[in-house]
Amino acid sequence: MLISPAYAQAPGGGNDFLFQLMPILLMFVIFYFLLLRPQQQRAKAHREMVANIRRGDMVVTSGGIIGKVTKVKDDGEIEVEIADNTRVRVIKGTVAEVRVKGEPVKESA
């Protein structure tokens, strides 16, 4: 025989299972801190950036179009002027970057 019956029936076999499981658990912890958590932080920063878009901001869409925000609508859209007298409606979520912050909207009494 290659394996003695005494070794195959050794007491304390439950601890061996935990030691075999530890590398897998360690990989999941490393995976979370290196991939998932930074991605969640980037998504949160993007949501905050999109929520704070104001009239006058210079934005870059995910399609690469650069323009100035002329109107912010409540239904998740903004109106962006990409050239003189050329305005397009853009979904807020497609804004990739806010380059220049505009001036805050003046409140009228």
Side-chain angles (χ1 to χ4, degrees):
M1 290 188 128
L2 296 174
I3 301 174
S4 70
Y7 181 72
Q9 296 176 359
N15 289 338
D16 291 340
F17 177 71
L18 291 176
F19 285 121
Q20 291 174 356
L21 196 61
M22 288 300 282
I24 295 171
L25 292 175
L26 185 62
M27 284 187 341
F28 280 116
V29 169
I30 291 171
F31 181 77
Y32 174 77
F33 282 108
L34 290 180
L35 295 175
L36 295 178
R37 191 160 184 259
Q39 183 178 4
Q40 290 171 347
Q41 290 175 338
R42 280 191 304 272
K44 181 181 177 186
H46 184 262
R47 280 192 307 269
E48 290 175 1
M49 177 193 68
V50 167
N52 293 324
I53 291 177
R54 301 287 181 251
R55 188 177 71 197
D57 291 350
M58 291 294 290
V59 296
V60 179
T61 66
S62 59
I65 298 173
I66 300 172
K68 185 174 184 177
V69 177
T70 57
K71 186 187 293 184
V72 179
K73 299 181 180 183
D74 291 335
D75 56 350
E77 292 182 0
I78 57 176
E79 190 173 276
V80 178
E81 185 173 14
I82 57 176
D84 292 335
N85 297 322
T86 306
R87 295 181 179 174
V88 293
R89 290 181 9 205
V90 176
I91 296 178
K92 279 185 173 183
T94 62
V95 173
E97 178 184 353
V98 176
R99 287 205 171 166
V100 179
K101 287 289 199 181
E103 297 178 10
V105 177
K106 296 178 184 176
E107 294 182 18
S108 56

